[in-house]
Amino acid sequence: MHIEAVDLSVVRLPLVRAFETSFGRMSAREFVLVAVHGEGAVGWGECVADVDPFYSAETTTSAWHVLTKYLVPAVLGGRFASARAMTDAWPPVRGHRMAKAALEMAAWDLHARIEGRPLCELLGASIRPIASGVSIGIQPSIEALLERVGAELAEGYQRIKIKIKPGWDHAPVEAIRARFGSIALMVDANAAYTPAEQADLAALDAFDLMMIEQPLDEEDLIQHARLQASLRTRICLDESITGPQAATDALDLEACRVINIKPGRMGGYGPSLGVHRVARDRNIPLWHGGMLESGIGRAHNLHLATLPGFTLPGDIAASRRYFVPDLIEPAIEVGKDGFVAVPNGPGIGVEPVADRVRAATLTMERHRL
Ligand code: OSB
Ligand code: MG
């Protein structure tokens, strides 16, 4: 794979619906888009960092800085046997996993396109339908929440995840169970609780949730282990799983019983395959997370989710829940059975629509030798 040029853009897409979590409210996504050109093909990647450092420390601006100053210059003009060989050539940048993932995943897409194969095959898997769930933001009222849950179930989605925070936890879960019975239901706190609020989380044990995602701070593995020992409900870690070592530590400590893999957050496919291996070796259930990606990141996620081990429905939903129109064609859709089809063309299997990308672009730089 010869890397002849890299286009970096910041694009802005309004969300169909504002998304509220314990860390804030988002009404648009503004992210770095990466296009890697080589051998007559283009590989695409999308950076999951947000403008604000509220979900994680990285931001759109920090990703731009690290990509333009360190990562892109290190690979321009290079010839690499694989995306792994490309990341081996990077300078020793600490952290900045979201920035790394955007370029790393674009290189995997480019490699797959040059070979004319679907990306999932390069990852060691093959096309299969992906079981899909949805993540529902904090709502202005319980009635509004019940309406959203009903609408998503009617679309076919196989499980419902709601965002919680102290003060918005017991009542919404109780209301959903009362209205919709024993549906597959889970909650995501995005690190909003402290160990002192353990009783609020223990109160959710009564509702037979599939799991509680990331109740405590990203760095609190030991506190998560203490909490897990006191709960019947499984803890799933998201923010805390920064890579294979963190996954190993979390499982050694029994800080969680489920893992949410997000390649865009973990530094790309290399680290994600490492986490996948750690979890598989220990029979820990996996599911594929989402970060409100456009169709580019969404298609990437679908390809990774084809790996065996992703046994629980993930957060990879249809394009139209997020962006109308999406940046890509064809849009990603969910069937009435709650499965999403993996695009089966070369690479990620979807094409960004040039006019839509241009219209959404705030800044763009072409890097070439
Ligand atoms: O914690 O899983 C999360 C969105 C943005 C940042 C973090 C998270 C989320 C979601 C939405 O839950 C998942 C999606 O629908 O893409
Ligand atoms: Mg989460």
Side-chain angles (χ1 to χ4, degrees), residues 23 55 135 161 163 186-191 213-214 236-239 260 262 265 287 289-291 315:
F23 59 83
Y55 167 80
S135 174
K161 153 173 149 182
K163 294 292 189 179
M186 58 179 281
V187 295
D188 185 358
N190 288 111
E213 188 179 343
Q214 195 71 41
C236 167
L237 290 177
D238 172 2
E239 285 90 325
N260 166 356
K262 292 178 176 173
R265 182 171 64 56
W287 57 278
M291 296 278 297
D315 275 347

Side-chain angles (χ1 to χ4, degrees), residues 39-205:
E39 301 176 37
V42 186
W44 293 87
E46 166 173 350
C47 183
V48 300
D50 187 36
V51 248
D52 301 311
F54 299 153
Y55 167 80
S56 80
E58 288 187 76
T59 65
T60 311
T61 307
S62 72
W64 183 267
H65 168 66
V66 168
L67 282 160
T68 54
K69 184 152 190 220
Y70 301 98
L71 304 179
V72 170
V75 304
L76 262 187
R79 288 174 197 275
F80 305 104
S82 64
R84 276 192 201 277
M86 182 192 80
T87 58
D88 288 345
W90 280 351
V93 172
R94 303 267 182 211
H96 294 283
R97 295 180 181 90
M98 293 177 174
K100 290 171 179 169
L103 182 56
E104 194 252 26
M105 293 166 78
W108 276 88
D109 181 30
L110 177 63
H111 189 194
R113 286 176 192 259
I114 290 171
E115 299 218 330
R117 296 165 67 197
L119 178 52
C120 60
E121 292 184 14
L122 256 64
L123 294 168
S126 52
I127 304 264
R128 66 167 171 108
I130 302 302
S132 183
V134 289
S135 174
I136 299 179
I138 292 168
Q139 300 294 313
S141 67
I142 299 279
E143 231 2 88
L145 174 68
L146 294 176
E147 198 179 300
R148 282 243 48 79
V149 172
E152 302 293 8
L153 292 172
E155 290 282 304
Y157 289 107
Q158 297 186 23
R159 73 98 169 95
I160 299 291
K161 153 173 149 182
I162 66 162
K163 294 292 189 179
I164 59 165
K165 64 176 181 183
W168 178 266
D169 45 27
H170 192 272
V173 170
E174 184 173 50
I176 292 173
R177 278 285 181 244
R179 175 80 62 93
F180 300 101
S182 61
I183 59 165
L185 180 65
M186 58 179 281
V187 295
D188 185 358
N190 288 111
Y193 292 79
T194 63
E197 290 161 317
Q198 180 184 326
D200 294 349
L201 298 163
L204 298 176
D205 265 346

Side-chain angles (χ1 to χ4, degrees), residues 306-355:
T306 62
L307 285 168
F310 285 95
T311 51
L312 298 168
D315 275 347
I316 316 179
S319 293
R320 69 167 179 278
R321 286 193 76 238
Y322 307 87
F323 309 105
V324 176
D326 200 339
L327 285 182
I328 51 140
E329 284 294 339
I332 289 159
E333 307 210 46
V334 66
K336 282 291 171 211
D337 56 0
F339 284 93
V340 175
V342 181
N344 63 4
I348 56 174
V350 295
E351 290 304 325
V353 178
D355 285 349

